[in-house]
Amino acid sequence: AYGRDLEADIVSDTSGHFKKMLVVLLQGTREEDDVVSEELVEQDAQDLFNAGEMQWGTDEAKFITILGNRSVTHLQLVFDEYQKIANKEIEDSIRGELSGDFEKLMLAVVQCIRSVPMYFAKRLFKAMKGLGTADNTLIRIMVSRAEIDMLDIREFFRLSYEKSLYNMIKDDTSGEYKKCLLKLCGGDDDLAGEFFPEAAQLAYKMWEVSSMTRVEFRGTVQPAANFNPDSDAQALRKAMKGFGTDEDTIIDIVTHRSNAQRQEILQKYKSLLGRVGSIIKCCRLILGLMMTPAQFDAKMMRKAMEGAGTDEKALIEILTTRSNQEILAMNKAYKEAYHKSLEDSIISDTSGHFCSVLVSLVQGSREEGPADLARVQEDAKELGNAVNDESTSMETKFLSILCTRSYPHLRKVFQEFVTFTNKDVEQVIRKQISGDLKTALIAIVRSIKNKPSYFADRLYKSMKGLGTDDRTLIRIMVSRSEIDLFNIRREYKELHDVSLHESIKVEALCIS
C-alpha cells in the first residue's frame, strides 16, 4: 500500500524498549498454543519475578523475551504461577516496574493473553466514556472484529460496565454513523441474560483470581517521623491567629500526620487554648481529617439522612465497605454524638427491603474468615433458584446471603453461581431488582470484586459533569487516605486514563 517496510517505519518512529517489543510482535513468531512445558512455566514465572520484583531496577529484556515469544496457553499458565510466587497479578508488577508507553504496551499484551475480547471491550469503553468519542478507535475495533469475536466483546463489555455495548454506542453516536455501528454490533445484550461460552469461562476465572489475590492495601498518608504534637499544636495556633489564616501551614501539618497523630495534636491544642473552636471553623475537609474515623463515618451517616432528602448512595457506600469493627465503632460514635442509635435513625429514614439491607449491615455482624466450602454450593444454588422466583422472594434470598456471608465466602459463591446459572450475579441484580436495593446489592458485589475500583468509580462520578459532589469527594478522600487511597488512585488511572490528582486539579480550576 505504501511502498515502505512496516518494521523499518516502526523502528524509525519509536525508541527504547517500546520499539524493541513492537519489533518482536511484528515478527509474528509467537509459539503455537500447543507449545507448553510445565518446567518452563515455573521457570518463566520465576524469571519474570526475578527480573522485576526481586531486583533493583528492571530487566526489561526478560519481559520482552517471555511475553513476546511464548505461546498464549503457556503464558496463561505462567501468569497463574506468577500469582502464586508474587502474591500479586503480573499486571500489578508491570505497573510498578515499567513506565510510559512500554508499560502500556506490556499491559496490553498481558490483557490480550488473558482474553482478546475483554481487551477490546475495555478499549471500546474508553473510546466512548467522558466527553467526546475516540472515533478512530471505535471504527477500527468495530470493523476489524465484526466477523471474528464481536459477540464475546459484547458479553465482556456487559460483564465489566454498567450497560451493553449496543446501548453505549446508541447514546454516544448519531445519524448514519450510529446506524452502521449498531448493525456491526449485532444486538443488545441487555435484552439477553446469559454468557457466551468463553465469557462464562472468563467470569468463572475472574472470581477464582479474586479469591486467590492478596492485595496489599496502601494509604497515601503515613505517620510523620519525629512527631512532636506540642510544636504542631503551636504551629496550628499561630496559623489561625489574627485576621488572616495561613492555610498552607494548616494543610501541610494535617495532611502529613496520621489520624492517631492528629488526635494527639487536637488534645494538645485543646489544653493550650481550652477549646478547639478555631479548628472547627476550618473547611469541611480539614474538619473531617481532625475527627477519628468512627466520628467521621458517624457524621457522614448523619449528613446523609438529615434534611428533606436522603443520600441513599452515601449510606450504601459507607455500610457496604466498612468492616464489622469499623461499623461497631461508628455505631458507638453516632450514639455519643446524636443520642440516638444509628439503626433507629436508618429505620425512621428508609423503608422496605432497602431498609432491611441497611439494618442488616449496620449491625456489624457479617461472618468473617475464609469461605465455608461445604456451604458455597448450597448458597450458589439458592441464589440461582431465587432468580426464577417472584420478585419479593428473590430479593429476600439475595439479601439474606449477600448481607451476612463473609467476603471470601461470597467470592466463591459468585464463582459457582456462574457455573450453576451461566449468568453473572451483578447482571442478574441489575436486570431483576430495582431501586435503592439494587444499588446496595451491586455495591456489595463490586466491593467484593475490587473495593478500590468501586471507590474509584464513586470518585469519578463525583467529579464528572457539571458541578462536583463535594460531600462524596471529601468522604472518600478522608476515609480512605490511610487505608487504600494509593490503590484507589491506581484503579482510577486504569479505569479513566487520567490520574485522580489531575482530575482533582481540573475540578478545582473549574470551581475557582
Side-chain angles (χ1 to χ4, degrees):
Y2 305 104
R4 299 168 62 89
D5 181 70
L6 179 55
E7 183 175 328
D9 277 1
I10 285 177
V11 168
S12 66
D13 204 59
T14 59
S15 62
H17 297 297
F18 178 63
K19 175 179 73 176
K20 291 175 185 176
M21 186 62 179
L22 288 176
V23 169
V24 168
L25 295 173
L26 193 60
Q27 303 287 321
T29 56
R30 186 179 293 284
E31 295 170 347
E32 297 299 322
D33 280 354
D34 58 353
V35 180
V36 177
S37 164
E38 190 172 328
E39 290 183 3
L40 190 57
V41 164
E42 294 178 4
Q43 185 61 54
D44 281 349
Q46 190 63 56
D47 285 349
L48 287 172
F49 184 63
N50 294 341
E53 299 285 346
M54 291 299 288
Q55 70 173 33
W56 183 263
T58 306
D59 182 359
E60 289 88 352
K62 184 64 69 177
F63 277 83
I64 291 172
T65 299
I66 295 174
L67 296 182
N69 292 289
R70 302 290 192 257
S71 74
V72 170
T73 304
H74 178 88
L75 284 173
Q76 288 171 345
L77 296 173
V78 169
F79 297 161
D80 289 342
E81 186 65 25
Y82 187 92
Q83 170 81 40
K84 297 174 187 175
I85 295 171
N87 283 327
K88 63 170 70 173
E89 295 184 38
I90 185 72
E91 291 94 328
D92 291 332
S93 292
I94 288 173
R95 291 186 188 100
E97 299 295 328
L98 309 180
S99 61
D101 291 329
F102 184 50
E103 175 194 349
K104 293 177 184 176
L105 174 58
M106 299 308 269
L107 285 173
V109 169
V110 170
Q111 289 164 5
C112 287
I113 293 297
R114 292 200 187 278
S115 169
V116 170
M118 179 163 273
Y119 169 74
F120 281 122
K122 190 173 186 179
R123 293 283 292 146
L124 284 168
F125 177 73
K126 289 184 176 181
M128 291 182 283
K129 73 174 183 64
L131 296 174
T133 302
D135 293 303
N136 286 345
T137 299
L138 184 56
I139 293 169
R140 183 175 64 247
I141 296 173
M142 295 301 293
V143 169
S144 66
R145 309 311 293 187
E147 296 182 58
I148 301 174
D149 53 4
M150 185 55 69
L151 288 179
D152 290 306
I153 292 170
R154 278 169 36 186
E155 190 62 71
F156 292 139
F157 196 98
R158 187 184 65 157
L159 175 65
S160 302
Y161 307 110
E162 293 185 6
K163 59 165 67 176
S164 67
L165 175 59
Y166 186 94
N167 278 321
M168 194 156 187
I169 291 172
K170 193 174 177 182
D171 292 342
D172 210 63
T173 58
S174 61
E176 304 304 322
Y177 178 45
K178 175 170 76 173
K179 289 180 184 177
C180 187
L181 288 172
L182 290 177
K183 290 291 185 183
L184 291 175
C185 184
D188 183 1
D189 294 298
D190 286 342
L191 299 177
E194 296 192 350
F195 286 122
F196 295 110
E198 186 183 346
Q201 292 173 18
L202 188 73
Y204 185 89
K205 181 71 174 176
M206 181 181 69
W207 284 113
E208 186 175 28
V209 170
S210 175
S211 66
M212 291 169 55
T213 304
R214 295 182 210 167
V215 179
E216 179 189 354
F217 289 130
R218 294 169 56 193
T220 54
V221 175
Q222 306 295 331
N226 305 314
F227 172 60
N228 186 330
D230 290 290
S231 63
D232 281 346
Q234 292 282 1
L236 283 177
R237 167 62 181 149
K238 184 177 179 182
M240 290 183 281
K241 191 176 181 180
F243 292 106
T245 303
D246 183 355
E247 290 91 353
D248 289 341
T249 296
I250 297 170
I251 292 169
D252 186 61
I253 292 174
V254 173
T255 59
H256 288 89
R257 308 292 186 269
S258 67
N259 189 271
Q261 290 174 334
R262 287 182 224 126
Q263 299 313 307
E264 288 189 56
I265 295 171
L266 201 59
Q267 292 307 312
K268 292 294 182 183
Y269 191 95
K270 189 174 181 180
S271 64
L272 184 68
L273 292 179
R275 66 186 191 281
V276 292
S278 51
I279 288 184
I280 291 175
K281 291 176 184 176
C282 288
C283 74
R284 286 180 290 161
L285 180 57
I286 298 296
L287 177 58
L289 288 166
M290 296 306 294
M291 294 177 174
T292 67
Q295 289 170 342
F296 182 70
D297 278 347
K299 186 176 181 66
M300 292 298 99
M301 291 292 289
R302 181 72 171 187
K303 288 288 184 184
M305 291 184 284
E306 68 181 5
T310 301
D311 186 348
E312 291 86 357
K313 289 184 178 179
L315 299 177
I316 291 166
E317 175 203 299
I318 296 169
L319 291 177
T320 57
T321 59
R322 302 309 193 252
S323 67
N324 287 340
Q325 292 75 17
E326 289 169 332
I327 288 174
L328 294 175
M330 176 177 60
N331 276 321
K332 183 180 178 183
Y334 191 94
K335 184 77 178 227
E336 291 173 353
Y338 306 110
H339 311 293
K340 182 179 182 180
S341 78
L342 180 52
E343 183 175 330
D344 287 344
S345 292
I346 288 171
I347 290 171
S348 65
D349 206 64
T350 59
S351 61
H353 275 139
F354 179 58
C355 177
S356 299
V357 71
L358 295 183
V359 168
S360 178
L361 295 173
V362 84
Q363 289 169 356
S365 57
R366 182 182 290 280
E367 296 168 2
E368 297 178 336
D372 181 348
L373 298 179
R375 203 166 43 152
V376 164
Q377 291 284 341
E378 180 184 336
D379 283 347
K381 286 183 178 180
E382 281 200 43
L383 290 178
N385 290 332
V387 171
N388 300 315
D389 292 344
E390 56 95 17
S391 177
T392 302
S393 177
M394 176 189 170
E395 290 173 354
T396 301
K397 182 55 66 178
F398 269 68
L399 192 155
S400 67
I401 292 177
L402 268 64
C403 294
T404 59
R405 308 295 195 257
S406 72
Y407 275 16
H409 180 85
L410 286 172
R411 287 189 187 98
K412 285 291 187 182
V413 171
F414 297 159
Q415 184 181 28
E416 293 306 318
F417 184 85
V418 174
T419 302
F420 189 67
T421 66
N422 197 36
K423 297 177 181 179
D424 174 61
V425 67
E426 184 176 334
Q427 288 298 331
V428 168
I429 292 169
R430 285 189 184 283
K431 194 169 183 180
Q432 296 190 231
I433 297 176
S434 60
D436 294 325
L437 177 62
K438 175 175 77 172
T439 306
L441 295 182
I442 287 174
I444 292 173
V445 173
R446 291 199 157 190
S447 292
I448 293 168
K449 276 184 182 178
N450 186 332
K451 191 179 291 185
S453 177
Y454 169 73
F455 279 119
D457 184 57
R458 293 282 294 145
L459 283 170
Y460 177 75
K461 288 176 179 175
S462 76
M463 291 183 282
K464 77 171 185 176
L466 296 174
T468 304
D469 180 357
D470 294 308
R471 189 171 289 173
T472 297
L473 185 57
I474 291 170
R475 185 174 60 249
I476 296 174
M477 297 299 289
V478 170
S479 65
R480 311 312 294 184
S481 61
E482 292 183 59
I483 301 174
D484 54 2
L485 189 52
F486 184 87
N487 307 79
I488 293 168
R489 272 173 38 188
R490 188 175 64 191
E491 293 291 338
Y492 192 97
K493 178 71 180 292
E494 175 68 15
L495 287 167
H496 304 296
D497 282 337
V498 63
S499 71
L500 177 59
H501 184 272
E502 190 63 29
S503 290
I504 292 172
K505 274 177 67 178
V506 169
E507 203 64 26
L509 285 172
C510 291
I511 293 169
S512 62

